[in-house]
Amino acid sequence: MDGGAAYNPRTVEEVFRDFKGRRAGMIRALTTDVEEFYQQCDPEKENLCLYGFPNEQWEVNLPAEEVPPELPEPALGINFARDGMQEKDWLSLVAVHSDAWLLAVAFYFGARFGFDKSDRKRLFTMINDMPTIFEVVTGGVKKQGKDKSLVSNNSSNKSKTGSKGRGSEASKLSKGLAKEEDEGLLDEEEEEEHGETLCGACGENYASDEFWICCDLCEKWFHGKCVKITPARAEHIKQYKCPSCSNKRARP
């Protein structure tokens, strides 16, 4: 794990270059080098992590022994799930955790070298303009035009859709059935409006390739995985109540 341990990017541009290099290495592991990556993630071995380095290389290795480590550590034990799920699902899961790790490393450098609010915002904007590893691995990057349409449609659905049918509307959005009506309307204002939508369970942003459902009582939106609702199940829910609302006593 010495592929950049002595390298400490200190400016926004340097941190972004570091991010891009690590991202490229991890994408290689999960796409072009996937067979080699799969073989290295032997479930019979100890807890393994996928590391990406600034020089666009990748490595499967044990986590750092020192505590706290030089950098934030990736997801631990990715090899244990290798044979317990379909390969594409496993790779997607590793991709999601890899995205989270890349952000952690980038903002670790930002905190370590005193990035102010504007620097952090600029860094996030530069990172956010690139497709995530998850989007690349699952093919979501090929549908960027349609994804933006989903952003626009979901924002309008939240204000126009009645309480009934929200689950099915969200399911349709998650399956990519919404049609792009007018590319000229896909401007920054819509993206900003959409960017304010956070999951009521985990607090993370909405992603167009994830299933998303709205509570008909509190009108908060949730990732399906966070509230254990699948798109198929949502189709049969007339009125969805989130866990919080379900625990409250019904008023007479």
Side-chain angles (χ1 to χ4, degrees), residues 197-217:
T197 305
L198 301 177
C199 175
C202 68
E204 297 296 325
N205 289 88
Y206 167 81
S208 56
D209 50 20
E210 293 181 303
F211 173 62
W212 191 247
I213 190 167
C214 180
C215 175
D216 288 298
L217 297 185

Side-chain angles (χ1 to χ4, degrees), residues 72-129:
E73 285 292 309
L76 184 67
I78 57 172
N79 51 312
F80 294 149
R82 192 195 73 177
D83 295 340
M85 55 199 307
Q86 290 191 13
E87 182 176 342
K88 65 176 183 178
D89 294 331
W90 175 67
L91 292 173
S92 297
L93 183 64
V94 175
V96 168
H97 284 290
S98 297
D99 283 318
W101 179 68
L102 287 177
L103 282 173
V105 171
F107 281 87
Y108 165 84
F109 285 129
R112 182 173 178 178
F113 297 112
F115 286 10
D116 59 20
K117 181 178 179 180
S118 61
D119 285 339
R120 293 194 302 271
K121 183 176 181 179
R122 187 155 63 94
L123 175 60
F124 177 77
T125 299
M126 294 166 73
I127 290 173
N128 202 40
D129 284 340

Side-chain angles (χ1 to χ4, degrees), residues 52-65:
F53 299 121
N55 61 359
E56 301 188 6
Q57 299 300 309
W58 62 273
E59 179 182 67
V60 171
N61 209 332
L62 298 171
E65 294 183 1

Side-chain angles (χ1 to χ4, degrees), residues 144-158 173 178 186-195 197 206-208:
Q144 279 188 321
K146 291 184 179 180
D147 288 348
K148 288 186 177 181
S149 174
L150 297 183
V151 168
S152 174
N153 286 335
N154 185 47
S155 297
S156 60
N157 279 338
K158 286 199 298 177
L173 287 173
L186 303 178
D187 54 19
E188 293 182 358
E189 292 183 1
E190 291 171 334
E191 293 181 0
E192 289 177 1
E193 177 188 355
H194 179 75
T197 305
Y206 167 81
S208 56

Side-chain angles (χ1 to χ4, degrees), residues 17-31:
R17 282 198 297 272
D18 179 271
F19 172 89
K20 287 197 299 181
R22 296 177 189 276
R23 172 182 174 276
M26 299 178 100
I27 288 176
R28 278 184 53 195
L30 297 171
T31 54

Side-chain angles (χ1 to χ4, degrees), residues 62-73:
L62 298 171
E65 294 183 1
E66 68 271 15
V67 178
E70 175 74 15
L71 290 175
E73 285 292 309

